[in-house]
Amino acid sequence: MACIDSSVDGLSQDGPVIGLNPGGFGVPGIWQSFDAVPPGAPATKSGRWGNGVVRHILDDHVLSEWEAERDPARPENTTVAAMHDLKTGKLKASVRCDTEDGDGVSFQPMVSPNGRYAIAGTVAMDLEQGKAHCLQDNGEQESVRLVSVGDDGIAYDLQRASSQRVPVAVTLDTGKAEPLPKGTHIPFLSLPQAGGFSLPSPNGDGLLFTFHPRRRPHRWARPGPQPRPLDSWPL
Protein backbone atom coordinates (compact mmCIF):
# COMPACT_ATOMS: atom_id res chain seq x y z
CA MET A 1 0.00 0.00 0.00
CA ALA A 2 3.04 2.30 0.12
CA CYS A 3 3.32 4.92 -2.62
CA ILE A 4 4.91 8.27 -3.40
CA ASP A 5 4.60 10.71 -0.47
CA SER A 6 3.73 7.95 1.98
CA SER A 7 5.36 8.04 5.41
CA VAL A 8 6.30 5.65 8.19
CA ASP A 9 4.16 6.74 11.14
CA GLY A 10 5.18 3.98 13.53
CA LEU A 11 6.22 0.38 13.93
CA SER A 12 4.32 -2.80 14.76
CA GLN A 13 5.44 -6.40 15.22
CA ASP A 14 4.24 -7.09 11.68
CA GLY A 15 5.94 -4.14 10.02
CA PRO A 16 5.74 -0.36 9.70
CA VAL A 17 2.53 1.63 9.99
CA ILE A 18 2.37 3.48 6.68
CA GLY A 19 0.52 6.77 6.30
CA LEU A 20 -0.69 7.65 2.82
CA ASN A 21 -0.88 11.16 1.40
CA PRO A 22 -3.45 12.70 1.61
CA GLY A 23 -5.13 10.12 3.86
CA GLY A 24 -5.40 6.49 4.91
CA PHE A 25 -2.97 4.30 6.81
CA GLY A 26 -2.22 0.72 7.80
CA VAL A 27 0.33 -2.10 7.98
CA PRO A 28 1.04 -3.40 4.43
CA GLY A 29 -0.35 -6.88 3.88
CA ILE A 30 -1.95 -6.97 7.35
CA TRP A 31 -4.64 -4.30 7.69
CA GLN A 32 -5.68 -0.92 6.32
CA SER A 33 -7.76 1.91 7.70
CA PHE A 34 -10.39 1.64 4.95
CA ASP A 35 -11.65 -1.46 6.79
CA ALA A 36 -11.97 0.35 10.14
CA VAL A 37 -13.62 3.69 9.39
CA PRO A 38 -15.12 5.20 12.58
CA PRO A 39 -18.78 6.29 12.70
CA GLY A 40 -19.32 9.87 11.58
CA ALA A 41 -16.35 9.85 9.20
CA PRO A 42 -16.46 9.09 5.47
CA ALA A 43 -13.99 6.57 4.07
CA THR A 44 -12.80 9.14 1.56
CA LYS A 45 -12.49 12.91 1.39
CA SER A 46 -14.00 14.77 -1.54
CA GLY A 47 -15.15 11.40 -2.87
CA ARG A 48 -11.68 10.33 -4.02
CA TRP A 49 -8.93 10.86 -1.44
CA GLY A 50 -8.45 8.57 1.52
CA ASN A 51 -9.49 9.78 4.95
CA GLY A 52 -7.76 9.28 8.28
CA VAL A 53 -4.24 10.09 9.50
CA VAL A 54 -2.11 8.64 12.28
CA ARG A 55 -1.53 11.01 15.17
CA HIS A 56 0.27 8.77 17.66
CA ILE A 57 1.29 5.18 18.31
CA LEU A 58 0.44 4.44 21.94
CA ASP A 59 1.68 1.07 23.18
CA ASP A 60 -0.46 -1.44 21.25
CA HIS A 61 -2.81 1.19 19.82
CA VAL A 62 -2.98 3.68 16.98
CA LEU A 63 -4.57 7.06 17.64
CA SER A 64 -5.99 8.47 14.41
CA GLU A 65 -7.83 11.58 13.31
CA TRP A 66 -10.46 11.69 10.55
CA GLU A 67 -12.28 14.42 8.71
CA ALA A 68 -15.86 14.24 9.98
CA GLU A 69 -19.03 14.26 7.96
CA ARG A 70 -20.77 17.62 8.00
CA ASP A 71 -23.17 17.98 10.91
CA PRO A 72 -25.08 21.30 11.19
CA ALA A 73 -25.87 20.45 14.81
CA ARG A 74 -22.15 20.28 15.67
CA PRO A 75 -20.31 22.55 13.22
CA GLU A 76 -17.52 23.18 15.72
CA ASN A 77 -16.44 19.53 15.72
CA THR A 78 -14.87 18.88 12.34
CA THR A 79 -12.86 15.76 13.15
CA VAL A 80 -13.35 12.28 14.57
CA ALA A 81 -10.75 10.90 16.97
CA ALA A 82 -10.38 7.12 16.90
CA MET A 83 -8.27 4.41 18.49
CA HIS A 84 -7.31 1.22 16.64
CA ASP A 85 -5.63 -1.99 17.67
CA LEU A 86 -2.05 -1.84 16.40
CA LYS A 87 -1.93 -5.53 15.41
CA THR A 88 -5.29 -5.88 13.66
CA GLY A 89 -6.39 -2.30 12.88
CA LYS A 90 -9.71 -3.02 14.63
CA LEU A 91 -11.55 0.08 15.77
CA LYS A 92 -11.60 0.18 19.58
CA ALA A 93 -13.40 3.49 20.24
CA SER A 94 -14.11 6.80 18.55
CA VAL A 95 -15.83 10.14 19.10
CA ARG A 96 -16.51 13.28 17.10
CA CYS A 97 -14.17 15.76 18.75
CA ASP A 98 -11.30 18.14 18.03
CA THR A 99 -8.49 17.15 20.38
CA GLU A 100 -6.86 20.60 20.15
CA ASP A 101 -10.05 22.34 21.34
CA GLY A 102 -9.94 24.97 18.64
CA ASP A 103 -6.96 27.02 19.83
CA GLY A 104 -4.13 24.96 18.41
CA VAL A 105 -2.90 23.72 21.79
CA SER A 106 -2.39 19.97 21.82
CA PHE A 107 -1.59 17.65 24.71
CA GLN A 108 0.44 14.47 24.92
CA PRO A 109 -1.90 11.48 24.58
CA MET A 110 -1.58 8.68 27.08
CA VAL A 111 -2.79 5.13 27.78
CA SER A 112 -3.30 3.91 31.34
CA PRO A 113 -0.75 1.35 32.62
CA ASN A 114 -3.23 -1.52 32.17
CA GLY A 115 -4.01 -0.43 28.59
CA ARG A 116 -7.73 -0.01 29.15
CA TYR A 117 -8.11 3.78 29.21
CA ALA A 118 -6.76 6.44 26.85
CA ILE A 119 -6.73 10.24 26.81
CA ALA A 120 -5.81 12.74 24.12
CA GLY A 121 -6.44 16.37 25.03
CA THR A 122 -10.22 16.76 25.15
CA VAL A 123 -10.84 13.09 24.27
CA ALA A 124 -11.27 10.30 26.84
CA MET A 125 -11.74 6.61 25.94
CA ASP A 126 -12.54 3.32 27.64
CA LEU A 127 -11.08 0.88 25.12
CA GLU A 128 -12.51 -2.19 26.85
CA GLN A 129 -16.08 -0.88 26.78
CA GLY A 130 -15.70 0.93 23.45
CA LYS A 131 -16.78 4.22 25.05
CA ALA A 132 -15.42 7.64 24.17
CA HIS A 133 -16.21 11.13 25.44
CA CYS A 134 -15.59 14.57 23.98
CA LEU A 135 -14.77 16.96 26.81
CA GLN A 136 -15.02 20.20 24.90
CA ASP A 137 -17.15 23.06 26.19
CA ASN A 138 -20.75 21.99 25.58
CA GLY A 139 -22.60 24.71 27.45
CA GLU A 140 -22.96 22.52 30.54
CA GLN A 141 -19.31 21.75 31.22
CA GLU A 142 -16.16 23.78 30.52
CA SER A 143 -13.54 22.22 28.27
CA VAL A 144 -11.25 19.70 29.95
CA ARG A 145 -7.82 18.80 28.59
CA LEU A 146 -6.61 15.69 30.31
CA VAL A 147 -3.01 15.24 31.41
CA SER A 148 -3.03 11.79 33.06
CA VAL A 149 -5.18 8.69 33.54
CA GLY A 150 -4.91 5.66 35.83
CA ASP A 151 -6.00 2.04 35.87
CA ASP A 152 -9.04 3.11 37.93
CA GLY A 153 -10.44 5.06 34.98
CA ILE A 154 -9.93 8.43 36.68
CA ALA A 155 -8.25 11.16 34.64
CA TYR A 156 -6.99 14.55 35.81
CA ASP A 157 -6.75 18.09 34.51
CA LEU A 158 -6.67 21.75 35.47
CA GLN A 159 -9.95 22.98 34.02
CA ARG A 160 -10.28 26.51 32.75
CA ALA A 161 -12.96 28.42 34.65
CA SER A 162 -13.06 32.15 33.92
CA SER A 163 -9.46 33.27 34.49
CA GLN A 164 -8.65 30.49 36.96
CA ARG A 165 -7.45 26.93 36.63
CA VAL A 166 -9.54 24.49 38.66
CA PRO A 167 -8.24 20.97 39.39
CA VAL A 168 -10.73 18.31 38.29
CA ALA A 169 -11.05 14.53 38.17
CA VAL A 170 -12.93 12.92 35.28
CA THR A 171 -14.52 9.48 35.54
CA LEU A 172 -14.11 7.92 32.12
CA ASP A 173 -17.22 5.80 32.58
CA THR A 174 -19.40 8.91 32.49
CA GLY A 175 -17.13 11.64 31.14
CA LYS A 176 -18.19 13.96 33.96
CA ALA A 177 -15.67 16.32 35.54
CA GLU A 178 -15.66 16.69 39.34
CA PRO A 179 -13.95 19.77 40.84
CA LEU A 180 -11.30 18.96 43.42
CA PRO A 181 -10.45 20.96 46.53
CA LYS A 182 -8.72 24.27 45.86
CA GLY A 183 -4.95 23.93 45.72
CA THR A 184 -5.00 20.22 44.95
CA HIS A 185 -2.02 19.04 42.94
CA ILE A 186 -2.92 16.72 40.07
CA PRO A 187 -0.54 13.97 38.88
CA PHE A 188 1.13 14.13 35.48
CA LEU A 189 1.50 10.35 35.77
CA SER A 190 -1.03 8.08 37.47
CA LEU A 191 0.48 4.68 38.30
CA PRO A 192 -1.19 1.82 40.20
CA GLN A 193 0.80 2.45 43.37
CA ALA A 194 2.06 6.00 42.98
CA GLY A 195 1.53 9.34 41.31
CA GLY A 196 4.05 11.63 39.64
CA PHE A 197 3.81 15.35 40.42
CA SER A 198 5.58 18.47 39.19
CA LEU A 199 5.69 20.96 42.06
CA PRO A 200 7.26 24.38 42.56
CA SER A 201 10.83 24.01 43.74
CA PRO A 202 11.30 24.98 47.43
CA ASN A 203 13.89 27.60 46.42
CA GLY A 204 11.58 29.01 43.74
CA ASP A 205 13.84 27.95 40.90
CA GLY A 206 12.05 25.70 38.39
CA LEU A 207 10.01 22.60 39.22
CA LEU A 208 10.52 19.64 41.51
CA PHE A 209 9.43 16.26 40.11
CA THR A 210 8.34 13.86 42.84
CA PHE A 211 6.53 10.54 43.19
CA HIS A 212 4.20 9.81 46.08
CA PRO A 213 2.42 6.54 46.97
CA ARG A 214 -1.30 6.13 46.80
CA ARG A 215 -3.14 5.55 50.01
CA ARG A 216 -6.80 4.61 50.19
CA PRO A 217 -8.35 5.26 46.73
CA HIS A 218 -11.32 7.48 45.91
CA ARG A 219 -10.90 9.92 48.82
CA TRP A 220 -9.23 13.28 48.75
CA ALA A 221 -7.27 15.29 51.27
CA ARG A 222 -8.66 18.36 52.91
CA PRO A 223 -8.03 21.60 50.95
CA GLY A 224 -5.46 24.09 52.11
CA PRO A 225 -3.57 27.14 50.87
CA GLN A 226 -0.30 25.22 50.53
CA PRO A 227 -1.16 21.51 50.22
CA ARG A 228 1.62 19.02 50.62
CA PRO A 229 1.96 16.78 47.54
CA LEU A 230 1.23 13.66 49.59
CA ASP A 231 -2.00 15.23 50.80
CA SER A 232 -2.98 16.00 47.22
CA TRP A 233 -3.13 12.37 46.09
CA PRO A 234 -6.29 10.27 46.69
CA LEU A 235 -6.44 9.13 50.31
Side-chain angles (χ1 to χ4, degrees):
M1 61 182 295
C3 63
I4 297 175
D5 290 335
S6 63
S7 62
V8 176
D9 293 331
L11 297 175
S12 73
Q13 292 183 343
D14 298 310
V17 180
I18 301 295
L20 304 178
N21 186 13
F25 56 91
V27 178
I30 305 298
W31 60 267
Q32 57 182 351
S33 58
F34 303 108
D35 297 324
V37 179
T44 60
K45 295 185 292 185
S46 303
R48 49 183 286 188
W49 302 113
N51 195 3
V53 294
V54 174
R55 287 307 183 199
H56 294 274
I57 304 296
L58 301 170
D59 297 335
D60 297 327
H61 303 92
V62 178
L63 177 64
S64 65
E65 187 175 278
W66 301 67
E67 183 178 293
E69 297 173 343
R70 293 184 179 181
D71 185 350
R74 293 184 291 177
E76 72 282 1
N77 290 340
T78 59
T79 62
V80 173
M83 193 75 81
H84 307 262
D85 184 273
L86 178 60
K87 185 173 181 60
T88 66
K90 179 181 178 182
L91 181 65
K92 303 291 289 186
S94 67
V95 63
R96 187 181 180 112
C97 195
D98 296 323
T99 59
E100 294 183 349
D101 196 22
D103 59 8
V105 178
S106 60
F107 284 70
Q108 181 65 36
M110 180 182 297
V111 175
S112 62
N114 63 4
R116 174 172 176 174
Y117 303 100
I119 58 172
T122 55
V123 171
M125 298 178 174
D126 181 338
L127 303 179
E128 184 176 294
Q129 297 293 327
K131 290 182 179 180
H133 303 283
C134 182
L135 304 178
Q136 288 180 293
D137 187 343
N138 58 11
E140 298 179 0
Q141 177 174 285
E142 296 283 343
S143 290
V144 175
R145 294 175 178 154
L146 301 172
V147 299
S148 65
V149 64
D151 289 349
D152 53 3
I154 305 296
Y156 301 95
D157 175 50
L158 289 173
Q159 186 180 49
R160 292 171 298 173
S162 299
S163 61
Q164 298 180 334
R165 299 285 284 176
V166 178
V168 296
V170 178
T171 302
L172 267 63
D173 182 53
T174 63
K176 299 298 183 182
E178 175 187 353
L180 301 176
K182 182 179 179 181
T184 298
H185 294 298
I186 61 171
F188 67 82
L189 188 61
S190 181
L191 301 173
Q193 302 299 326
F197 299 85
S198 58
L199 308 172
S201 175
N203 59 14
D205 183 17
L207 296 174
L208 177 66
F209 292 92
T210 63
F211 286 81
H212 294 273
R214 284 182 184 264
R215 289 187 273 175
R216 299 188 305 274
H218 307 308
R219 295 190 58 183
W220 295 84
R222 59 188 180 280
Q226 294 180 331
R228 295 182 295 121
L230 188 60
D231 285 345
S232 303
W233 191 233
L235 297 184

